[in-house]
Amino acid sequence: MALLNILEFPDARLRTIAKPVTEFDEKLQTVIQDMFETMYDAPGIGLAATQVNIHKQLIVMDLSEDKTDPQVFVNPKIEVLSDEDFDYEEGCLSVPGFYEKVSRPGVINITAQDATGASFTVKADGLLAVCIQHEMDHLDGKLFVDYLSNMKRNRIKKKLEKQHRLAAS
Ligand code: GNR
Ligand code: NI
């Protein structure tokens, strides 16, 4: 097991488009284990491989109160089921310390593969719908700050850049 380094905005590597997972091998199982360890340690409720500089379509998540419900989504696709948008105050381990309201489709179907490659479909609303869409954005090189005004995003960028400068010196 290993803790992985989480990239932070505005790191350009967070803009990389993830490629589909094709091999459901031992190496994939190790990456999944390391991603869970990193997510629980952070702590966070989800983690996309992009955030740990692995550019594969791979997401781990645990939305349970007691951290007993690990979920893996490989090569996820979503279908929007409702025109109704849902607003949620989002945060991100790659944008530490900042929370802003984001509006996303409220009800979706997720089709993905599990760690063994088996396909499944789940209907999602509420936090699960928010989280999977937030994580799938990471796989497309997108961050929740991209939904904010240029002014808000730039303010966050300057603050994090300053923090990174201080941490490096
Ligand atoms: O831990 C996280 N919490 C969170 C809260 C509201 C909306 C989305 C999230 S995901 C985030 C972890 C993360 O950055 N995943 O990419
Ligand atoms: Ni995130």
mmCIF file with all atom_site columns, all heavy atoms in Angstrom, residues 27-50:
data_model
loop_
_atom_site.group_PDB
_atom_site.id
_atom_site.type_symbol
_atom_site.label_atom_id
_atom_site.label_alt_id
_atom_site.label_comp_id
_atom_site.label_asym_id
_atom_site.label_entity_id
_atom_site.label_seq_id
_atom_site.pdbx_PDB_ins_code
_atom_site.Cartn_x
_atom_site.Cartn_y
_atom_site.Cartn_z
_atom_site.occupancy
_atom_site.B_iso_or_equiv
_atom_site.pdbx_formal_charge
_atom_site.auth_seq_id
_atom_site.auth_comp_id
_atom_site.auth_asym_id
_atom_site.auth_atom_id
_atom_site.pdbx_PDB_model_num
ATOM 1   N N   . LYS A 1 27 ? -1.775  -5.055 -11.511 1.00 0.00 ? 27 LYS A N   1
ATOM 2   C CA  . LYS A 1 27 ? -1.308  -3.671 -11.396 1.00 0.00 ? 27 LYS A CA  1
ATOM 3   C C   . LYS A 1 27 ? -2.494  -2.720 -11.161 1.00 0.00 ? 27 LYS A C   1
ATOM 4   O O   . LYS A 1 27 ? -2.400  -1.795 -10.355 1.00 0.00 ? 27 LYS A O   1
ATOM 5   C CB  . LYS A 1 27 ? -0.548  -3.281 -12.677 1.00 0.00 ? 27 LYS A CB  1
ATOM 6   C CG  . LYS A 1 27 ? 0.376   -2.094 -12.465 1.00 0.00 ? 27 LYS A CG  1
ATOM 7   C CD  . LYS A 1 27 ? 1.204   -1.794 -13.710 1.00 0.00 ? 27 LYS A CD  1
ATOM 8   C CE  . LYS A 1 27 ? 1.422   -0.297 -13.800 1.00 0.00 ? 27 LYS A CE  1
ATOM 9   N NZ  . LYS A 1 27 ? 1.503   0.196  -15.170 1.00 0.00 ? 27 LYS A NZ  1
ATOM 10  N N   . LEU A 1 28 ? -3.614  -2.985 -11.851 1.00 0.00 ? 28 LEU A N   1
ATOM 11  C CA  . LEU A 1 28 ? -4.811  -2.165 -11.648 1.00 0.00 ? 28 LEU A CA  1
ATOM 12  C C   . LEU A 1 28 ? -5.299  -2.284 -10.205 1.00 0.00 ? 28 LEU A C   1
ATOM 13  O O   . LEU A 1 28 ? -5.676  -1.292 -9.580  1.00 0.00 ? 28 LEU A O   1
ATOM 14  C CB  . LEU A 1 28 ? -5.921  -2.569 -12.625 1.00 0.00 ? 28 LEU A CB  1
ATOM 15  C CG  . LEU A 1 28 ? -7.235  -1.791 -12.458 1.00 0.00 ? 28 LEU A CG  1
ATOM 16  C CD1 . LEU A 1 28 ? -7.069  -0.344 -12.895 1.00 0.00 ? 28 LEU A CD1 1
ATOM 17  C CD2 . LEU A 1 28 ? -8.373  -2.456 -13.236 1.00 0.00 ? 28 LEU A CD2 1
ATOM 18  N N   . GLN A 1 29 ? -5.285  -3.517 -9.667  1.00 0.00 ? 29 GLN A N   1
ATOM 19  C CA  . GLN A 1 29 ? -5.759  -3.721 -8.288  1.00 0.00 ? 29 GLN A CA  1
ATOM 20  C C   . GLN A 1 29 ? -4.894  -2.929 -7.300  1.00 0.00 ? 29 GLN A C   1
ATOM 21  O O   . GLN A 1 29 ? -5.401  -2.354 -6.333  1.00 0.00 ? 29 GLN A O   1
ATOM 22  C CB  . GLN A 1 29 ? -5.751  -5.217 -7.910  1.00 0.00 ? 29 GLN A CB  1
ATOM 23  C CG  . GLN A 1 29 ? -6.396  -6.158 -8.946  1.00 0.00 ? 29 GLN A CG  1
ATOM 24  C CD  . GLN A 1 29 ? -7.759  -5.692 -9.454  1.00 0.00 ? 29 GLN A CD  1
ATOM 25  O OE1 . GLN A 1 29 ? -8.621  -5.297 -8.662  1.00 0.00 ? 29 GLN A OE1 1
ATOM 26  N NE2 . GLN A 1 29 ? -7.964  -5.733 -10.767 1.00 0.00 ? 29 GLN A NE2 1
ATOM 27  N N   . THR A 1 30 ? -3.579  -2.876 -7.545  1.00 0.00 ? 30 THR A N   1
ATOM 28  C CA  . THR A 1 30 ? -2.662  -2.112 -6.682  1.00 0.00 ? 30 THR A CA  1
ATOM 29  C C   . THR A 1 30 ? -2.970  -0.619 -6.757  1.00 0.00 ? 30 THR A C   1
ATOM 30  O O   . THR A 1 30 ? -3.033  0.056  -5.715  1.00 0.00 ? 30 THR A O   1
ATOM 31  C CB  . THR A 1 30 ? -1.196  -2.381 -7.101  1.00 0.00 ? 30 THR A CB  1
ATOM 32  O OG1 . THR A 1 30 ? -0.956  -3.781 -6.997  1.00 0.00 ? 30 THR A OG1 1
ATOM 33  C CG2 . THR A 1 30 ? -0.219  -1.629 -6.209  1.00 0.00 ? 30 THR A CG2 1
ATOM 34  N N   . VAL A 1 31 ? -3.187  -0.097 -7.968  1.00 0.00 ? 31 VAL A N   1
ATOM 35  C CA  . VAL A 1 31 ? -3.522  1.329  -8.127  1.00 0.00 ? 31 VAL A CA  1
ATOM 36  C C   . VAL A 1 31 ? -4.820  1.642  -7.385  1.00 0.00 ? 31 VAL A C   1
ATOM 37  O O   . VAL A 1 31 ? -4.915  2.651  -6.678  1.00 0.00 ? 31 VAL A O   1
ATOM 38  C CB  . VAL A 1 31 ? -3.650  1.715  -9.627  1.00 0.00 ? 31 VAL A CB  1
ATOM 39  C CG1 . VAL A 1 31 ? -4.233  3.115  -9.772  1.00 0.00 ? 31 VAL A CG1 1
ATOM 40  C CG2 . VAL A 1 31 ? -2.299  1.625  -10.318 1.00 0.00 ? 31 VAL A CG2 1
ATOM 41  N N   . ILE A 1 32 ? -5.830  0.765  -7.505  1.00 0.00 ? 32 ILE A N   1
ATOM 42  C CA  . ILE A 1 32 ? -7.115  0.974  -6.825  1.00 0.00 ? 32 ILE A CA  1
ATOM 43  C C   . ILE A 1 32 ? -6.908  1.002  -5.307  1.00 0.00 ? 32 ILE A C   1
ATOM 44  O O   . ILE A 1 32 ? -7.429  1.888  -4.619  1.00 0.00 ? 32 ILE A O   1
ATOM 45  C CB  . ILE A 1 32 ? -8.143  -0.112 -7.244  1.00 0.00 ? 32 ILE A CB  1
ATOM 46  C CG1 . ILE A 1 32 ? -8.567  0.102  -8.702  1.00 0.00 ? 32 ILE A CG1 1
ATOM 47  C CG2 . ILE A 1 32 ? -9.357  -0.117 -6.314  1.00 0.00 ? 32 ILE A CG2 1
ATOM 48  C CD1 . ILE A 1 32 ? -9.384  -1.029 -9.304  1.00 0.00 ? 32 ILE A CD1 1
ATOM 49  N N   . GLN A 1 33 ? -6.135  0.045  -4.783  1.00 0.00 ? 33 GLN A N   1
ATOM 50  C CA  . GLN A 1 33 ? -5.856  0.020  -3.335  1.00 0.00 ? 33 GLN A CA  1
ATOM 51  C C   . GLN A 1 33 ? -5.169  1.302  -2.887  1.00 0.00 ? 33 GLN A C   1
ATOM 52  O O   . GLN A 1 33 ? -5.538  1.895  -1.868  1.00 0.00 ? 33 GLN A O   1
ATOM 53  C CB  . GLN A 1 33 ? -4.966  -1.181 -2.979  1.00 0.00 ? 33 GLN A CB  1
ATOM 54  C CG  . GLN A 1 33 ? -5.662  -2.540 -3.061  1.00 0.00 ? 33 GLN A CG  1
ATOM 55  C CD  . GLN A 1 33 ? -6.990  -2.561 -2.319  1.00 0.00 ? 33 GLN A CD  1
ATOM 56  O OE1 . GLN A 1 33 ? -7.069  -2.159 -1.153  1.00 0.00 ? 33 GLN A OE1 1
ATOM 57  N NE2 . GLN A 1 33 ? -8.050  -2.994 -2.990  1.00 0.00 ? 33 GLN A NE2 1
ATOM 58  N N   . ASP A 1 34 ? -4.167  1.743  -3.649  1.00 0.00 ? 34 ASP A N   1
ATOM 59  C CA  . ASP A 1 34 ? -3.425  2.966  -3.302  1.00 0.00 ? 34 ASP A CA  1
ATOM 60  C C   . ASP A 1 34 ? -4.325  4.200  -3.381  1.00 0.00 ? 34 ASP A C   1
ATOM 61  O O   . ASP A 1 34 ? -4.205  5.119  -2.564  1.00 0.00 ? 34 ASP A O   1
ATOM 62  C CB  . ASP A 1 34 ? -2.212  3.141  -4.230  1.00 0.00 ? 34 ASP A CB  1
ATOM 63  C CG  . ASP A 1 34 ? -1.126  2.103  -3.982  1.00 0.00 ? 34 ASP A CG  1
ATOM 64  O OD1 . ASP A 1 34 ? -1.205  1.407  -2.942  1.00 0.00 ? 34 ASP A OD1 1
ATOM 65  O OD2 . ASP A 1 34 ? -0.215  1.987  -4.816  1.00 0.00 ? 34 ASP A OD2 1
ATOM 66  N N   . MET A 1 35 ? -5.247  4.209  -4.358  1.00 0.00 ? 35 MET A N   1
ATOM 67  C CA  . MET A 1 35 ? -6.175  5.344  -4.466  1.00 0.00 ? 35 MET A CA  1
ATOM 68  C C   . MET A 1 35 ? -7.127  5.383  -3.270  1.00 0.00 ? 35 MET A C   1
ATOM 69  O O   . MET A 1 35 ? -7.411  6.463  -2.734  1.00 0.00 ? 35 MET A O   1
ATOM 70  C CB  . MET A 1 35 ? -6.951  5.285  -5.788  1.00 0.00 ? 35 MET A CB  1
ATOM 71  C CG  . MET A 1 35 ? -6.112  5.748  -6.990  1.00 0.00 ? 35 MET A CG  1
ATOM 72  S SD  . MET A 1 35 ? -7.001  5.625  -8.560  1.00 0.00 ? 35 MET A SD  1
ATOM 73  C CE  . MET A 1 35 ? -8.354  6.772  -8.295  1.00 0.00 ? 35 MET A CE  1
ATOM 74  N N   . PHE A 1 36 ? -7.637  4.217  -2.830  1.00 0.00 ? 36 PHE A N   1
ATOM 75  C CA  . PHE A 1 36 ? -8.495  4.188  -1.634  1.00 0.00 ? 36 PHE A CA  1
ATOM 76  C C   . PHE A 1 36 ? -7.730  4.678  -0.409  1.00 0.00 ? 36 PHE A C   1
ATOM 77  O O   . PHE A 1 36 ? -8.230  5.505  0.360   1.00 0.00 ? 36 PHE A O   1
ATOM 78  C CB  . PHE A 1 36 ? -9.055  2.784  -1.377  1.00 0.00 ? 36 PHE A CB  1
ATOM 79  C CG  . PHE A 1 36 ? -10.343 2.500  -2.104  1.00 0.00 ? 36 PHE A CG  1
ATOM 80  C CD1 . PHE A 1 36 ? -10.405 1.499  -3.063  1.00 0.00 ? 36 PHE A CD1 1
ATOM 81  C CD2 . PHE A 1 36 ? -11.491 3.240  -1.839  1.00 0.00 ? 36 PHE A CD2 1
ATOM 82  C CE1 . PHE A 1 36 ? -11.595 1.249  -3.752  1.00 0.00 ? 36 PHE A CE1 1
ATOM 83  C CE2 . PHE A 1 36 ? -12.690 2.985  -2.513  1.00 0.00 ? 36 PHE A CE2 1
ATOM 84  C CZ  . PHE A 1 36 ? -12.731 1.991  -3.475  1.00 0.00 ? 36 PHE A CZ  1
ATOM 85  N N   . GLU A 1 37 ? -6.499  4.196  -0.251  1.00 0.00 ? 37 GLU A N   1
ATOM 86  C CA  . GLU A 1 37 ? -5.696  4.609  0.908   1.00 0.00 ? 37 GLU A CA  1
ATOM 87  C C   . GLU A 1 37 ? -5.493  6.129  0.895   1.00 0.00 ? 37 GLU A C   1
ATOM 88  O O   . GLU A 1 37 ? -5.644  6.796  1.924   1.00 0.00 ? 37 GLU A O   1
ATOM 89  C CB  . GLU A 1 37 ? -4.348  3.878  0.896   1.00 0.00 ? 37 GLU A CB  1
ATOM 90  C CG  . GLU A 1 37 ? -3.588  4.053  2.196   1.00 0.00 ? 37 GLU A CG  1
ATOM 91  C CD  . GLU A 1 37 ? -2.205  3.411  2.174   1.00 0.00 ? 37 GLU A CD  1
ATOM 92  O OE1 . GLU A 1 37 ? -1.827  2.778  1.175   1.00 0.00 ? 37 GLU A OE1 1
ATOM 93  O OE2 . GLU A 1 37 ? -1.492  3.581  3.178   1.00 0.00 ? 37 GLU A OE2 1
ATOM 94  N N   . THR A 1 38 ? -5.210  6.673  -0.274  1.00 0.00 ? 38 THR A N   1
ATOM 95  C CA  . THR A 1 38 ? -4.971  8.110  -0.435  1.00 0.00 ? 38 THR A CA  1
ATOM 96  C C   . THR A 1 38 ? -6.248  8.906  -0.153  1.00 0.00 ? 38 THR A C   1
ATOM 97  O O   . THR A 1 38 ? -6.212  9.935  0.536   1.00 0.00 ? 38 THR A O   1
ATOM 98  C CB  . THR A 1 38 ? -4.460  8.397  -1.861  1.00 0.00 ? 38 THR A CB  1
ATOM 99  O OG1 . THR A 1 38 ? -3.282  7.614  -2.090  1.00 0.00 ? 38 THR A OG1 1
ATOM 100 C CG2 . THR A 1 38 ? -4.156  9.869  -2.065  1.00 0.00 ? 38 THR A CG2 1
ATOM 101 N N   . MET A 1 39 ? -7.391  8.417  -0.663  1.00 0.00 ? 39 MET A N   1
ATOM 102 C CA  . MET A 1 39 ? -8.674  9.097  -0.463  1.00 0.00 ? 39 MET A CA  1
ATOM 103 C C   . MET A 1 39 ? -9.075  9.094  1.019   1.00 0.00 ? 39 MET A C   1
ATOM 104 O O   . MET A 1 39 ? -9.469  10.126 1.558   1.00 0.00 ? 39 MET A O   1
ATOM 105 C CB  . MET A 1 39 ? -9.765  8.406  -1.290  1.00 0.00 ? 39 MET A CB  1
ATOM 106 C CG  . MET A 1 39 ? -11.141 9.042  -1.120  1.00 0.00 ? 39 MET A CG  1
ATOM 107 S SD  . MET A 1 39 ? -12.438 8.064  -1.896  1.00 0.00 ? 39 MET A SD  1
ATOM 108 C CE  . MET A 1 39 ? -12.650 6.780  -0.667  1.00 0.00 ? 39 MET A CE  1
ATOM 109 N N   . TYR A 1 40 ? -8.959  7.943  1.692   1.00 0.00 ? 40 TYR A N   1
ATOM 110 C CA  . TYR A 1 40 ? -9.343  7.853  3.108   1.00 0.00 ? 40 TYR A CA  1
ATOM 111 C C   . TYR A 1 40 ? -8.405  8.689  3.974   1.00 0.00 ? 40 TYR A C   1
ATOM 112 O O   . TYR A 1 40 ? -8.829  9.296  4.961   1.00 0.00 ? 40 TYR A O   1
ATOM 113 C CB  . TYR A 1 40 ? -9.328  6.392  3.585   1.00 0.00 ? 40 TYR A CB  1
ATOM 114 C CG  . TYR A 1 40 ? -10.481 5.545  3.070   1.00 0.00 ? 40 TYR A CG  1
ATOM 115 C CD1 . TYR A 1 40 ? -10.256 4.332  2.423   1.00 0.00 ? 40 TYR A CD1 1
ATOM 116 C CD2 . TYR A 1 40 ? -11.805 5.963  3.248   1.00 0.00 ? 40 TYR A CD2 1
ATOM 117 C CE1 . TYR A 1 40 ? -11.306 3.553  1.958   1.00 0.00 ? 40 TYR A CE1 1
ATOM 118 C CE2 . TYR A 1 40 ? -12.872 5.184  2.791   1.00 0.00 ? 40 TYR A CE2 1
ATOM 119 C CZ  . TYR A 1 40 ? -12.609 3.985  2.147   1.00 0.00 ? 40 TYR A CZ  1
ATOM 120 O OH  . TYR A 1 40 ? -13.659 3.210  1.701   1.00 0.00 ? 40 TYR A OH  1
ATOM 121 N N   . ASP A 1 41 ? -7.135  8.745  3.601   1.00 0.00 ? 41 ASP A N   1
ATOM 122 C CA  . ASP A 1 41 ? -6.149  9.497  4.383   1.00 0.00 ? 41 ASP A CA  1
ATOM 123 C C   . ASP A 1 41 ? -6.387  11.003 4.283   1.00 0.00 ? 41 ASP A C   1
ATOM 124 O O   . ASP A 1 41 ? -6.117  11.735 5.242   1.00 0.00 ? 41 ASP A O   1
ATOM 125 C CB  . ASP A 1 41 ? -4.734  9.155  3.892   1.00 0.00 ? 41 ASP A CB  1
ATOM 126 C CG  . ASP A 1 41 ? -3.659  9.915  4.648   1.00 0.00 ? 41 ASP A CG  1
ATOM 127 O OD1 . ASP A 1 41 ? -3.381  9.540  5.804   1.00 0.00 ? 41 ASP A OD1 1
ATOM 128 O OD2 . ASP A 1 41 ? -3.127  10.905 4.098   1.00 0.00 ? 41 ASP A OD2 1
ATOM 129 N N   . ALA A 1 42 ? -6.881  11.454 3.117   1.00 0.00 ? 42 ALA A N   1
ATOM 130 C CA  . ALA A 1 42 ? -6.928  12.901 2.805   1.00 0.00 ? 42 ALA A CA  1
ATOM 131 C C   . ALA A 1 42 ? -7.640  13.762 3.866   1.00 0.00 ? 42 ALA A C   1
ATOM 132 O O   . ALA A 1 42 ? -7.062  14.772 4.296   1.00 0.00 ? 42 ALA A O   1
ATOM 133 C CB  . ALA A 1 42 ? -7.491  13.124 1.406   1.00 0.00 ? 42 ALA A CB  1
ATOM 134 N N   . PRO A 1 43 ? -8.884  13.505 4.304   1.00 0.00 ? 43 PRO A N   1
ATOM 135 C CA  . PRO A 1 43 ? -9.808  12.507 3.802   1.00 0.00 ? 43 PRO A CA  1
ATOM 136 C C   . PRO A 1 43 ? -10.719 13.123 2.755   1.00 0.00 ? 43 PRO A C   1
ATOM 137 O O   . PRO A 1 43 ? -11.007 14.309 2.789   1.00 0.00 ? 43 PRO A O   1
ATOM 138 C CB  . PRO A 1 43 ? -10.619 12.133 5.049   1.00 0.00 ? 43 PRO A CB  1
ATOM 139 C CG  . PRO A 1 43 ? -10.667 13.413 5.848   1.00 0.00 ? 43 PRO A CG  1
ATOM 140 C CD  . PRO A 1 43 ? -9.434  14.215 5.479   1.00 0.00 ? 43 PRO A CD  1
ATOM 141 N N   . GLY A 1 44 ? -11.203 12.269 1.824   1.00 0.00 ? 44 GLY A N   1
ATOM 142 C CA  . GLY A 1 44 ? -12.140 12.709 0.801   1.00 0.00 ? 44 GLY A CA  1
ATOM 143 C C   . GLY A 1 44 ? -13.198 11.653 0.581   1.00 0.00 ? 44 GLY A C   1
ATOM 144 O O   . GLY A 1 44 ? -13.064 10.526 1.066   1.00 0.00 ? 44 GLY A O   1
ATOM 145 N N   . ILE A 1 45 ? -14.257 12.016 -0.163  1.00 0.00 ? 45 ILE A N   1
ATOM 146 C CA  . ILE A 1 45 ? -15.336 11.064 -0.449  1.00 0.00 ? 45 ILE A CA  1
ATOM 147 C C   . ILE A 1 45 ? -15.193 10.449 -1.839  1.00 0.00 ? 45 ILE A C   1
ATOM 148 O O   . ILE A 1 45 ? -15.910 9.530  -2.202  1.00 0.00 ? 45 ILE A O   1
ATOM 149 C CB  . ILE A 1 45 ? -16.737 11.713 -0.300  1.00 0.00 ? 45 ILE A CB  1
ATOM 150 C CG1 . ILE A 1 45 ? -16.916 12.914 -1.231  1.00 0.00 ? 45 ILE A CG1 1
ATOM 151 C CG2 . ILE A 1 45 ? -16.977 12.122 1.150   1.00 0.00 ? 45 ILE A CG2 1
ATOM 152 C CD1 . ILE A 1 45 ? -18.333 13.500 -1.222  1.00 0.00 ? 45 ILE A CD1 1
ATOM 153 N N   . GLY A 1 46 ? -14.251 10.986 -2.629  1.00 0.00 ? 46 GLY A N   1
ATOM 154 C CA  . GLY A 1 46 ? -13.999 10.441 -3.962  1.00 0.00 ? 46 GLY A CA  1
ATOM 155 C C   . GLY A 1 46 ? -12.604 10.827 -4.413  1.00 0.00 ? 46 GLY A C   1
ATOM 156 O O   . GLY A 1 46 ? -12.011 11.762 -3.865  1.00 0.00 ? 46 GLY A O   1
ATOM 157 N N   . LEU A 1 47 ? -12.089 10.087 -5.388  1.00 0.00 ? 47 LEU A N   1
ATOM 158 C CA  . LEU A 1 47 ? -10.775 10.416 -5.959  1.00 0.00 ? 47 LEU A CA  1
ATOM 159 C C   . LEU A 1 47 ? -10.725 9.875  -7.386  1.00 0.00 ? 47 LEU A C   1
ATOM 160 O O   . LEU A 1 47 ? -11.061 8.715  -7.633  1.00 0.00 ? 47 LEU A O   1
ATOM 161 C CB  . LEU A 1 47 ? -9.652  9.790  -5.116  1.00 0.00 ? 47 LEU A CB  1
ATOM 162 C CG  . LEU A 1 47 ? -8.219  10.175 -5.487  1.00 0.00 ? 47 LEU A CG  1
ATOM 163 C CD1 . LEU A 1 47 ? -7.913  11.626 -5.103  1.00 0.00 ? 47 LEU A CD1 1
ATOM 164 C CD2 . LEU A 1 47 ? -7.208  9.246  -4.820  1.00 0.00 ? 47 LEU A CD2 1
ATOM 165 N N   . ALA A 1 48 ? -10.330 10.733 -8.308  1.00 0.00 ? 48 ALA A N   1
ATOM 166 C CA  . ALA A 1 48 ? -10.148 10.322 -9.705  1.00 0.00 ? 48 ALA A CA  1
ATOM 167 C C   . ALA A 1 48 ? -8.656  10.118 -9.960  1.00 0.00 ? 48 ALA A C   1
ATOM 168 O O   . ALA A 1 48 ? -7.816  10.828 -9.403  1.00 0.00 ? 48 ALA A O   1
ATOM 169 C CB  . ALA A 1 48 ? -10.705 11.397 -10.638 1.00 0.00 ? 48 ALA A CB  1
ATOM 170 N N   . ALA A 1 49 ? -8.326  9.138  -10.795 1.00 0.00 ? 49 ALA A N   1
ATOM 171 C CA  . ALA A 1 49 ? -6.922  8.795  -11.051 1.00 0.00 ? 49 ALA A CA  1
ATOM 172 C C   . ALA A 1 49 ? -6.119  10.010 -11.525 1.00 0.00 ? 49 ALA A C   1
ATOM 173 O O   . ALA A 1 49 ? -4.955  10.171 -11.159 1.00 0.00 ? 49 ALA A O   1
ATOM 174 C CB  . ALA A 1 49 ? -6.844  7.658  -12.076 1.00 0.00 ? 49 ALA A CB  1
ATOM 175 N N   . THR A 1 50 ? -6.751  10.865 -12.319 1.00 0.00 ? 50 THR A N   1
ATOM 176 C CA  . THR A 1 50 ? -6.117  12.110 -12.796 1.00 0.00 ? 50 THR A CA  1
ATOM 177 C C   . THR A 1 50 ? -5.465  12.890 -11.654 1.00 0.00 ? 50 THR A C   1
ATOM 178 O O   . THR A 1 50 ? -4.385  13.451 -11.826 1.00 0.00 ? 50 THR A O   1
ATOM 179 C CB  . THR A 1 50 ? -7.198  13.005 -13.449 1.00 0.00 ? 50 THR A CB  1
ATOM 180 O OG1 . THR A 1 50 ? -7.902  12.234 -14.413 1.00 0.00 ? 50 THR A OG1 1
ATOM 181 C CG2 . THR A 1 50 ? -6.586  14.247 -14.096 1.00 0.00 ? 50 THR A CG2 1
#
